[in-house]
Amino acid sequence: MKIQVKFFARYREALGQDELQIEGAFACVDDVRQALLSREGAAVLAERNLMCARNEELCQLHEPLVDGDEVAFFPTVTGG
């Protein structure tokens, strides 16, 4: 299964890239996140308030995936 992964805001900065393609057996968005955690700078993906999207629609980490999906990770927006 091939998944296109995009990173936004400080996640993009921490990982040093805005997107990549990853291959593997992924049942859900969290499987992709777990696979990425070993990469340099990816500790930000372990944050509790992580937001994610599947095919440009907000979703939860347990959202199921199919081959060719796009997954995006981004931090929550805070205001003050």
Side-chain angles (χ1 to χ4, degrees):
M1 168 182 291
K2 290 183 184 180
I3 303 293
Q4 188 70 26
V5 185
K6 294 188 175 187
F7 307 103
F8 293 93
R10 61 187 175 80
Y11 292 177
R12 176 181 57 224
E13 293 167 13
L15 287 152
Q17 58 191 41
D18 57 357
E19 66 182 83
L20 61 87
Q21 189 170 74
I22 188 169
E23 292 187 41
F26 309 113
C28 65
V29 172
D30 194 47
D31 291 345
V32 172
R33 185 181 70 91
Q34 293 294 328
L36 293 170
L37 284 174
S38 64
R39 293 176 180 253
E40 184 176 335
V44 293
L45 298 177
E47 294 178 346
R48 278 184 79 193
N49 295 331
L50 168 99
M51 294 186 70
C52 55
R54 175 183 167 245
N55 300 329
E56 299 184 8
E57 292 194 21
L58 290 177
C59 68
Q60 300 296 317
L61 288 170
H62 61 268
E63 180 78 15
L65 295 173
V66 297
D67 188 40
D69 276 347
E70 176 188 278
V71 170
F73 294 107
F74 46 97
T76 58
V77 177
T78 59

